[in-house]
Amino acid sequence: MKSDRISTRLQWNMNQMFLALIVALILWSESHAYLPLQHPRIPSSTRRMTSTSSSSDNKPVVIRNKKKQSPSPGKQRYNKKYNAQMQQAIALNKQLIACESEEEILTLLAMTPHALTKMAGGGALNSVNFSTALHRLARFCSSNQETRRATLMDPRFALLLCSLAEFMVGMDSTTTSLTEWKDGVANSNKNKPLLNSRECSNIAWAIAKIRLAPPMSALPLNLSDNQTVSLVETSLKTRSQVLEGARLKQQGVWIPTLSLLSGRILDNISNQSLTWTSKLNSQEGANLLYALATVQRADASVFEHVSTNLVNNLKTLLPRPQELSNSIYSYGKAGIYGNGQQLLLQYTAQALQDHPSYMEEWKSQEISNFAWGTATILSKKALHSRSSQEDEYALQILRVIARAISERADEFKSQELANTCWSMATLGFGEQESKCQHFE
């Protein structure tokens, strides 16, 4: 009995010790589970690595940490100034968009320090501001003849175009004469284009809508390298006439020179467009072609370059019908023929074939303008210079247009129907095969 008691007590003591050991292990693991691995401390100023090169002395390579250098005080001041100017430009653009009349726009610009009184806007306007201001003014002027007349007579509008012209060629508020600008351009990169394709196309569209630029018969087209000099000369002359008109209290004496200035602005944009490639989208290209054709300052090389790049960029995206319609209409109005116009016809014919519902998106005016442009281009083009493939593209398009008219005749105005019917009759569409001269 006594031996059994001793055996039981020993068993109990061993169990207690075993439990105590388990508790101790648990406590130890909890206190060390999340401790990071300890590595030998290496001074931050010097870190040694074993050399991988086969040198005789096998000395360690020493790599010192390079401290990140802070921008110089001059660069810090430039960044701060640039950010401040950008915020001001963004705020001004919001105000321009909110204006509800041409008077509000011109008043806002006049109240913006240096925007109209200093060369190139005195740094108060950036490229987006110029584009927005002119685009908004054009919308107001195109809808009301009296608004257009008042805008052209307003010296603030003249100074706005002067600032734009000077900005386009890289002038700044410190320039005081043409000679000083020439010297600055010769020794710097100030003649680098400062407007992108979207801003250029919007400005060209606005000038065309305001109907201010003269045709090529009054002011020959200038796409040479010295066109920037003519642009600056005309701008400075316009500024002096505005000041002289204010001194003599004569309104509108600057308008003839302002008209020349707007034409030279379009020439500068045309010259810049010859460098555009992948950054040109369909709306920008269509707006520029429409503007140049409307003011009769169209150049074949510009049309060819813009339309070719326009079609190349359309391969991945179906454009809005207005963009195709305006492009073909512009070719017909300008009387320009070439590979670019053929590419537009080919693309449109293929798009209408691949997307049968695409024509449903076309408005009646867009259909009428496209038909008129196609007929005008092909009817004026000598028969021997026209390809059978080109005629086939036009035939495919006119077939789709004919179906659209038969189904949606009530949507067309009388002028639109007349233009479309004239287009079909001009190209012989619908004639019997024995009488058809153009389409067989």
Side-chain angles (χ1 to χ4, degrees):
M1 290 289 293
K2 187 175 182 178
S3 61
D4 293 339
R5 290 178 184 175
I6 293 173
S7 177
T8 303
R9 183 177 296 275
L10 288 174
Q11 186 68 32
W12 183 84
N13 289 337
M14 290 179 64
N15 290 340
Q16 290 294 102
M17 291 174 62
F18 182 72
L19 290 174
L21 179 60
I22 291 177
V23 172
L25 287 173
I26 293 174
L27 293 176
W28 181 88
S29 62
E30 289 180 351
S31 62
H32 292 77
Y34 302 101
L35 288 179
L37 295 175
Q38 300 296 321
H39 296 283
R41 183 176 179 82
I42 301 177
S44 59
S45 59
T46 304
R47 298 185 185 274
R48 298 181 180 274
M49 297 177 61
T50 304
S51 175
T52 57
S53 62
S54 59
S55 58
S56 58
D57 53 359
N58 199 23
K59 292 182 179 180
V61 177
V62 178
I63 302 177
R64 291 180 173 82
N65 290 341
K66 293 183 178 180
K67 293 183 178 180
K68 186 177 180 180
Q69 296 181 352
S70 59
S72 63
K75 190 172 183 179
Q76 289 179 350
R77 288 193 297 270
Y78 171 81
N79 291 339
K80 185 176 181 181
K81 180 180 179 181
Y82 174 80
N83 291 334
Q85 289 178 340
M86 180 59 67
Q87 292 300 322
Q88 293 174 0
I90 293 174
L92 177 60
N93 216 58
K94 292 180 179 179
Q95 291 177 298
L96 289 170
I97 294 174
C99 291
E100 298 181 353
S101 68
E102 85 290 348
E103 177 62 29
E104 289 185 13
I105 293 175
L106 295 174
T107 301
L108 174 61
L109 294 174
M111 294 176 62
T112 302
H114 310 312
L116 303 180
T117 56
K118 294 287 186 180
M119 293 288 182
L125 303 176
N126 67 3
S127 57
V128 178
N129 297 148
F130 281 115
S131 174
T132 301
L134 282 173
H135 195 271
R136 296 284 293 166
L137 284 171
R139 287 197 174 277
F140 293 127
C141 291
S142 61
S143 60
N144 189 299
Q145 184 62 28
E146 183 60 28
T147 298
R148 174 181 175 272
R149 188 194 69 81
T151 300
L152 295 180
M153 294 289 290
D154 198 313
R156 296 172 296 183
F157 174 70
L159 294 176
L160 174 62
L161 281 187
C162 290
S163 293
L164 169 63
E166 295 150 4
F167 180 88
M168 292 174 69
V169 297
M171 295 182 71
D172 54 39
S173 58
T174 61
T175 308
T176 58
S177 66
L178 180 62
T179 303
E180 181 181 349
W181 173 75
K182 288 181 180 179
D183 294 339
V185 169
N187 299 311
S188 68
N189 195 30
K190 287 186 176 181
N191 57 346
K192 179 182 178 182
L194 298 175
L195 299 174
N196 60 33
S197 56
R198 179 178 181 180
E199 294 155 358
C200 283
S201 64
N202 285 344
I203 290 171
W205 179 89
I207 292 176
K209 282 294 185 180
I210 296 174
R211 305 193 309 279
L212 178 61
M216 288 190 295
S217 58
L219 177 67
L221 187 71
N222 184 3
L223 300 181
S224 63
D225 293 336
N226 68 344
Q227 53 89 18
T228 55
V229 177
S230 301
L231 180 62
V232 175
E233 288 176 340
T234 310
S235 176
L236 296 178
K237 184 178 180 180
T238 304
R239 281 191 182 275
S240 65
Q241 289 181 345
V242 170
L243 295 176
E244 185 68 12
R247 187 179 67 84
L248 299 177
K249 298 182 179 179
Q250 296 178 349
Q251 279 190 322
V253 295
W254 56 82
I255 291 181
T257 308
L258 184 64
S259 176
L260 299 179
L261 178 62
S262 63
R264 298 198 189 282
I265 290 175
L266 288 178
D267 291 354
N268 184 273
I269 292 175
S270 294
N271 193 49
Q272 289 189 41
S273 70
L274 295 174
T275 64
W276 298 344
T277 52
S278 58
K279 58 186 178 181
L280 179 69
N281 64 37
S282 55
Q283 183 179 6
E284 296 163 359
N287 283 349
L288 180 59
L289 296 180
Y290 172 83
L292 297 178
T294 300
V295 300
Q296 300 178 38
R297 300 195 67 79
D299 176 75
S301 62
V302 174
F303 265 55
E304 192 76 4
H305 181 81
V306 171
S307 57
T308 300
N309 283 282
L310 188 153
V311 172
N312 290 337
N313 294 332
L314 287 178
K315 293 180 180 179
T316 58
L317 181 66
L318 199 64
R320 294 187 301 176
Q322 184 183 23
E323 294 158 4
L324 287 177
S325 175
N326 283 351
S327 297
I328 287 293
Y329 174 85
S330 300
Y331 264 98
K333 192 170 183 63
I336 293 177
Y337 321 108
N339 184 58
Q341 148 255 321
Q342 295 179 30
L343 289 175
L344 284 169
L345 286 177
Q346 179 183 2
Y347 175 85
T348 305
Q350 190 66 42
L352 292 173
Q353 180 179 345
D354 296 342
H355 306 275
S357 62
Y358 186 36
M359 181 54 70
E360 297 175 4
E361 302 177 18
W362 290 56
K363 298 178 182 178
S364 57
Q365 183 179 3
E366 295 164 352
I367 294 175
S368 173
N369 286 348
F370 194 96
W372 181 90
T374 301
T376 302
I377 292 170
L378 298 183
S379 63
K380 291 183 179 180
K381 201 173 183 182
L383 289 177
H384 61 80
S385 65
R386 280 169 44 190
S387 64
S388 58
Q389 194 67 39
E390 192 174 13
D391 287 346
E392 180 63 28
Y393 298 145
L395 178 59
Q396 292 178 20
I397 295 170
L398 289 180
R399 283 173 176 165
V400 178
I401 289 177
R403 285 197 298 268
I405 291 179
S406 63
E407 296 171 358
R408 301 159 51 189
D410 57 334
E411 299 178 13
F412 286 74
K413 297 179 182 178
S414 57
Q415 183 64 45
E416 295 166 351
L417 280 174
N419 288 345
T420 307
C421 292
W422 173 87
S423 303
M424 294 180 174
T426 300
L427 295 177
F429 180 80
E431 294 183 3
Q432 295 181 4
E433 184 176 352
S434 59
K435 298 180 179 180
C436 182
Q437 297 178 0
H438 303 322
F439 300 120
E440 297 181 356

